[in-house]
Amino acid sequence: MSHAIADQPVVEFGHVEHVTVHFDELDAMGILHNARYAVLLERALTPYWAERGVSFTGGQLSAPDVFHAVREFTIRYRAPITGTGPVGVHFWLDHFGTSSARYAFEFRSVDGAIRYAEGTRSIVRLDPATMRPAPWTDAARAVAATLLRPATVPA
């Protein structure tokens, strides 16, 4: 089930998920705390993959691709998110390799007019027994193909 609160905007590539900023995520100035951006990105990515059969539900992995670790997270803040309510998270894949993937993302106002932040998040799929990199399944590759930024779209 999607956490969307409004019709999803049409984008050239990737996906936009609306997530909600809650009061307890704000700092003393009423601005979204910087550490919460990673959590909100996770809240945007999770329903996208879950709706396509890749989730962690009832204490169980629905697919081996759910077992992955974040290798790197970068973010550049452009404008503060002030107050509670919905925010749009536009995400896509810049890279989907044998065992790794790199998302790019933007946090925007729901109407898309304000860009609050942008960045990347790299992950590595792991084998649960060895904790070493493992290849993505064909099912994950099929979902990832829906998120890949076309080479014809400038970065």
Side-chain angles (χ1 to χ4, degrees):
M1 180 172 160
S2 174
H3 294 102
I5 51 92
D7 292 334
Q8 295 297 336
V10 176
V11 290
E12 281 187 72
F13 55 89
H15 178 75
V16 175
E17 188 75 26
H18 293 127
V19 296
T20 302
V21 173
H22 297 276
F23 179 76
D24 62 350
E25 297 176 301
L26 304 178
D27 65 16
M29 297 177 289
I31 296 172
L32 179 64
H33 190 279
N34 68 83
R36 300 306 295 178
Y37 284 82
V39 174
L40 291 178
L41 177 61
E42 192 72 37
R43 289 181 186 162
L45 293 170
T46 298
Y48 186 84
W49 284 88
E51 289 168 0
R52 289 152 182 84
V54 182
S55 66
F56 184 78
T57 306
Q60 300 293 316
L61 305 176
S62 68
D65 305 289
V66 178
F67 201 84
H68 62 267
V70 175
R71 179 177 182 180
E72 181 178 50
F73 182 85
T74 64
I75 190 164
R76 286 170 300 284
Y77 302 101
R78 301 292 186 182
I81 295 176
T82 56
T84 61
V87 63
V89 182
H90 180 200
F91 59 88
W92 61 93
L93 285 166
D94 276 342
H95 167 77
F96 199 79
T98 302
S99 62
S100 66
R102 184 179 57 253
Y103 287 96
F105 61 85
E106 294 180 333
F107 283 80
R108 290 191 170 265
S109 56
V110 172
D111 66 4
I114 303 168
R115 183 172 48 171
Y116 298 118
E118 64 196 22
T120 62
R121 177 182 186 253
S122 297
I123 59 175
V124 178
R125 170 148 148 34
L126 299 173
D127 179 305
T130 65
M131 298 300 284
R132 300 291 307 151
W136 299 108
T137 65
D138 290 341
R141 291 189 174 289
V143 175
T146 67
L147 291 172
L148 281 169
R149 181 184 203 143
T152 57
V153 177

